[in-house]
Amino acid sequence: MSPKILISIILILSQFFWGDCGSSRPLVPALYVFGDSLFDGGNNNWLPTLAKANYPPYGQNFPKGQSTGRFTNGKLVVDFIAEYLGLPYPPPYVMPSWLRPNTLMGYNYASGACGILPETGKDVGWCLSLDEQMRLFERSIRKHLSPKLSSVSQHLAKSIFIFSTGNNDYLGNYFGKSSNTRQRYDPQQFTQLLIDALSLNLQKLYKLGARKVVVFELGPLGCLKSILRHSKPNGRCDENVNQIVLNFNSQLSLMLKNLTSTLENSHFILGHAYWLGYDAIINPGSHGLSDSRNPCCKTLGNGTPTCIPVIPEVPLLQPCSNANQHFFWDDVHPSEAINSVIASTCITGSSVCLPLNIQQLVQV
């Protein structure tokens, strides 16, 4: 490969993954991102999995209209938060090392289809479980931080860590058609299994140096079409599934409060995304939405939740023209409009990220 072609590839990829930092100094040293497809910034592009979003119409509203691997039409919640912090969008860590920016400003380890448990998501290919993401973060400390920083501990203590995980442990694992997990665990046992595993990873993160951690709760999974297809509830959402989700979220809240009270100088923040999402689905008009049930892009509708690739010659495959008036971009993932509302409320509001919003978390 000629140097000219190599430089061109790097410049193109930098447009995909990096935001405009502007000239002001970032509010924190770095943003580190963990979780699933709600936060995946392109890691699955480089993994042998069916869970991918690196093709049109994904990214049609992202800068330059690029399909970067984000499972939405535009920006993710973490992209908006990175912009507020004055940081570039954290690049996906699993991209080839010769393409990956050697940055001190954070990486994205999130992986679509995966979850807290190692087996979650592996039925559609290889994705990064939370344990694997943590191992990559440790590698980042060794390879990218330690050689360059005089105080890695100070860097990590001031940085922000953000998680969205557990959704696929229910969607693709516990409620999955081919899974036998429900035969081995009742809902309460399974919730406790997830909470315990997540707690261990958060404690490990603390030992590595993290002090400011935001963990988003599960969304209203009972309102997703992949759940509704086989549960056939009478209402618009399967409230039995949503009750299981609420129980998880309640246990997550207690766990984070316990970590904050027992781990010195730590701040474990809960992202209350459930009720905002649920209300937007049930009362779309009050949130400026025209459709809270149907995806904007065309999906197969047979349990495959992602968009069918756009073929210019086939008009029926074109996504809707008003994507940001839809709650759902595809069958599972929210549109950029919903991501923007969640992010902005988490940054400066008092109803999503508690007990501190991002603005307050930066200052402690």
Side-chain angles (χ1 to χ4, degrees):
M1 183 179 296
S2 70
K4 184 176 181 180
I5 294 176
L6 176 60
I7 292 173
S8 298
I9 292 175
I10 294 174
L11 288 175
I12 291 172
L13 286 171
S14 69
Q15 293 172 352
F16 284 14
F17 301 122
W18 287 69
D20 182 4
C21 290
S23 58
S24 60
R25 183 177 179 181
L27 298 178
V28 296
L31 175 65
Y32 295 95
V33 179
F34 302 80
D36 51 31
S37 56
L38 294 177
F39 285 0
D40 187 344
N43 283 301
N44 276 25
N45 295 354
W46 311 96
L47 299 176
T49 175
L50 297 177
K52 293 182 183 292
N54 57 346
Y55 58 87
Y58 287 103
Q60 68 172 24
N61 301 114
F62 193 75
K64 303 184 185 299
Q66 301 290 353
S67 304
T68 62
R70 289 164 168 83
F71 287 78
T72 187
N73 60 305
K75 298 174 186 177
L76 305 171
V77 168
V78 290
D79 294 327
F80 289 109
I81 291 175
E83 289 177 350
Y84 168 77
L85 296 173
L87 293 168
Y89 305 149
Y93 191 77
V94 300
M95 64 194 304
S97 58
W98 60 277
L99 287 175
R100 183 197 314 123
N102 190 8
T103 179
L104 298 175
M105 297 184 183
Y107 288 105
N108 186 319
Y109 309 92
S111 182
C114 257
I116 298 171
L117 301 181
E119 65 268 24
T120 295
K122 300 302 170 70
D123 57 326
V124 295
W126 179 30
C127 57
L128 304 174
S129 69
L130 193 55
D131 287 343
E132 292 169 310
Q133 293 177 35
M134 293 296 296
R135 285 193 286 271
L136 290 178
F137 173 64
E138 289 185 83
R139 179 183 176 188
S140 303
I141 295 176
R142 293 193 306 270
K143 294 193 64 174
H144 305 286
L145 301 185
S146 296
K148 293 185 176 182
L149 296 174
S150 57
S151 178
V152 173
S153 60
Q154 185 178 20
H155 170 90
L156 294 176
K158 292 182 178 180
S159 297
I160 289 180
F161 299 75
I162 188 165
F163 288 75
S164 169
T165 190
N167 294 287
N168 293 317
D169 294 291
Y170 284 98
L171 284 177
N173 191 338
Y174 196 74
F175 294 114
K177 290 183 179 180
S178 60
S179 172
N180 64 353
T181 305
R182 273 186 291 175
Q183 299 172 6
R184 294 184 287 134
Y185 302 99
D186 64 31
Q188 185 175 354
Q189 292 171 332
F190 189 68
T191 291
Q192 195 60 53
L193 178 69
L194 296 181
I195 292 294
D196 290 345
L198 178 57
S199 178
L200 289 175
N201 273 296
L202 294 178
Q203 291 176 62
K204 182 176 183 179
L205 191 69
Y206 175 86
K207 291 178 181 178
L208 291 170
R211 296 295 181 268
K212 301 179 180 183
V213 182
V214 180
V215 182
F216 276 87
E217 64 185 10
L218 305 187
L221 304 183
C223 301
L224 301 183
K225 283 192 174 182
S226 57
I227 292 291
L228 297 177
R229 285 190 188 100
H230 63 77
S231 62
K232 298 180 180 179
N234 294 324
R236 300 183 66 184
C237 297
D238 187 328
E239 299 304 341
N240 292 325
V241 171
N242 279 341
Q243 187 57 55
I244 292 173
V245 169
L246 287 172
N247 290 338
F248 175 93
N249 290 342
S250 177
Q251 293 301 311
L252 175 63
S253 177
L254 292 174
M255 183 262 283
L256 296 178
K257 290 177 181 177
N258 181 62
L259 292 180
T260 300
S261 65
T262 56
L263 301 178
E264 185 178 3
N265 296 323
S266 69
H267 299 277
F268 287 90
I269 308 303
L270 178 63
H272 290 267
Y274 178 92
W275 286 112
L276 192 156
Y278 184 84
D279 190 61
I281 291 172
I282 300 301
N283 304 298
S286 62
H287 296 268
L289 302 175
S290 61
D291 191 325
S292 64
R293 299 307 305 166
N294 299 299
C296 180
C297 73
K298 306 301 179 183
T299 64
L300 290 176
N302 64 348
T304 304
T306 49
C307 301
I308 300 173
V310 165
I311 301 174
E313 294 77 17
V314 184
L316 291 177
L317 293 182
Q318 298 298 318
C320 65
S321 59
N322 59 339
N324 285 331
Q325 292 182 27
H326 281 242
F327 183 95
F328 291 103
W329 167 246
D330 57 22
D331 268 359
V332 174
H333 305 99
S335 67
E336 180 187 63
I338 300 302
N339 289 335
S340 176
V341 171
I342 293 172
S344 61
T345 311
C346 176
I347 291 169
T348 58
S350 59
S351 61
V352 171
C353 289
L354 298 171
L356 301 174
N357 59 32
I358 297 292
Q359 185 180 60
Q360 295 165 332
L361 188 61
V362 167
Q363 298 169 356
V364 297

